[in-house]
Amino acid sequence: MENFNFHVTTDIRFGKDRLAELPEVINQFGKKVLLVYGGGSIKKMGLYDKVMEQLKANDNQVFELAGVEPNPRVETVRKGAEICRKEDIDVLLAVGGGSTIDCAKAVAAATLYEGDAWDMVLQRRKFQGPALPLVTILTLAATGSEMNNAGVISNLSTNQKLGVGSPSMLPKVSFLDPENTFTVSKYQTAAGSADILSHLMENYFKRTEGTDVQDFVSEGLMRSVIKNCPVALKYPDDYDARANLMWASTLALNGLTGNGKTGSWSCHPMEHELSAFYDITHGVGLAILTPRWMEYALNDETVAKFAQFAWNVWDVEERVPMMAARIGIQKTYDYFKSCDIPMTLPEVGINEEKFAIMAKQAVDHNAIKTDAYVPMDVSDVESIYEACLTESSFV
Ligand code: NZQ
Ligand code: ZN
């Protein structure tokens, strides 16, 4: 296991009926609030009114940044930063899924950044600037953005979708009420669950040895998602299913399963290019790529880990490691399919036309050629994209 720091200070307020705590939370940071939200789901579900009621009773002065896009755009970040500067905002309140929270993180930092917001994003993990305080109310279990310090911002004019992160962007407080996810559609529930699984798998398949704690915690979290996503799909207002998905979302990407292991992720870099060029749903892109990437990564050196994954996550009975590994990959594929996720690229409107440029960017924007679990060059990424053109079988 590698050395690591674990200092994730987000104050998590988990559970139902906790919105009355909002004034006390907001008052820690000031009176002027920028409320950040997406395309209107929070209005439909009645959450907007409940939040406004609390803020009004607390004498907050509220400004709004509405219409944050899924795959949030840099233009929206600029717009938010402008409001914060002009109105001298004290604290941001993001109410929504990962896109809304990511956008709010970037606005919080861009407000205090001297240059253009996109220049800030281009600094990626090297960005160390300050940010305004951020409080979140999560409405979709998926990204883990509610308890990590990264945000992913898209620039459609350059076909770039890049993560930027700094300790200052970590939410101060996050409200996680599973009831706020009852209205999430089947498609987004399945996509969000695929994203959680992918975060766990990206951290699980790393070259660092001797990480039983991280790996066994990951296996337990994967099993929780695999069990609870189908329940939430069938019974959208099953509180415990939604609660388990929500807490798994948070724990999958707050450092718990990733710290102490090094190496670049593999599927996220490839997926971010699909989203950058085709604006698809992040979790769906990951579900399509993951089993094909697994087949690419399975070899004599990695087979032991893939067999462990098959045995401990999927309860595969086959004892021959290579065969067990293949069955585990098949089960991963079949699981996503059983959640009604489209499992080929043509089903989400993507053909081979841009594979070459997307593969090049995936390699250029990340360390997958040198530092991934199984290193990938441009032609490897292209062949993984190609494998996603048709249905697959792994055994
Ligand atoms: O726009 P609204 O009206 O809010 O509707 C959203 C959106 O259409 C809707 N939704 C959210 N909560 C809902 C709801 N609909 C009904 N009821 C509710 N309670 O769902 C749609 C998708 O929302 P979005 O926020 O885009 O989804 P998600 O949470 O999956 O976020 C995806 C974004 O996060 C990035 C992705 O790349 C993508 O841009 N990621 C962020 C990460 C991070 N910050 O650590 C890591 C991830 O790997 C990921 O890259
Ligand atoms: Zn993700």
Side-chain angles (χ1 to χ4, degrees), residues 27-28 32 40-41 49 52 68 73 76 88 136 147 154 162 173 215 218 262 268 271 330 336 343 347 350 368 388:
N27 289 343
Q28 294 173 30
K32 284 183 157 188
S41 66
D49 287 342
M52 288 304 273
V68 174
R73 315 286 196 260
T76 313
D88 203 11
T136 85
M147 198 180 184
S154 293
L162 300 172
V173 182
D215 293 347
S218 280
T262 50
H268 274 68
E271 195 296 310
Q330 185 68 50
F336 289 139
M343 286 303 284
E347 284 170 84
I350 300 178
I368 57 177
C388 299

Side-chain angles (χ1 to χ4, degrees), residues 185-375:
S185 68
K186 281 190 194 317
Y187 189 75
Q188 291 293 343
T189 299
S193 299
D195 192 22
I196 302 170
L197 285 172
S198 176
H199 298 156
L200 294 164
M201 290 169 188
E202 300 264 32
N203 285 337
Y204 187 80
F205 292 104
K206 286 267 181 83
R207 279 181 270 164
T208 310
E209 303 271 335
T211 52
D212 286 346
V213 170
Q214 290 90 330
D215 293 347
F216 294 155
V217 167
S218 280
E219 288 166 5
L221 290 170
M222 286 189 243
R223 292 180 70 102
S224 308
V225 176
I226 290 162
K227 176 181 166 192
N228 285 288
C229 172
V231 179
L233 290 176
K234 199 163 175 197
Y235 306 105
D237 54 1
D238 184 307
Y239 183 85
D240 286 328
R242 293 293 193 181
N244 279 288
L245 290 178
M246 194 169 230
W247 194 218
S249 151
T250 309
L251 296 182
L253 201 51
N254 72 347
L256 180 67
T257 67
N259 289 1
K261 307 177 91 176
T262 50
S264 160
W265 284 9
S266 300
C267 293
H268 274 68
M270 292 189 283
E271 195 296 310
H272 282 171
E273 299 308 325
L274 299 180
S275 296
F277 281 84
Y278 293 95
D279 200 18
I280 65 166
T281 299
H282 174 63
V284 169
L286 291 169
I288 295 171
L289 288 165
T290 298
R292 279 72 177 221
W293 168 80
M294 287 179 165
E295 186 180 46
Y296 162 82
L298 176 62
N299 59 39
D300 289 344
E301 276 173 38
T302 61
V303 64
K305 196 62 181 279
F306 277 103
Q308 179 185 335
F309 170 72
W311 292 324
N312 293 356
V313 176
W314 295 109
D315 294 328
V316 169
E317 285 180 7
E318 167 67 51
R319 296 328 285 175
V320 176
M322 187 56 86
M323 198 54 212
R326 294 196 155 277
I327 295 171
I329 297 172
Q330 185 68 50
K331 282 189 176 279
T332 307
Y333 181 87
D334 293 344
Y335 176 78
F336 289 139
K337 219 170 152 54
S338 73
C339 296
D340 273 339
I341 296 179
M343 286 303 284
T344 65
L345 289 179
E347 284 170 84
V348 292
I350 300 178
N351 59 24
E352 59 273 34
E353 193 190 327
K354 293 184 177 149
F355 282 177
I357 173 76
M358 291 194 296
K360 184 176 179 310
Q361 288 202 177
V363 172
D364 286 350
H365 290 157
N366 305 278
I368 57 177
K369 196 170 170 180
T370 50
D371 213 17
Y373 185 55
V374 175

Side-chain angles (χ1 to χ4, degrees), residues 39-41 71 98-99 102 139 143 148 150 161 180 183 199 268 272 282:
S41 66
N71 300 326
S99 295
D102 283 6
T139 66
T143 63
N148 70 38
K161 174 174 175 174
N180 286 336
T183 52
H199 298 156
H268 274 68
H272 282 171
H282 174 63

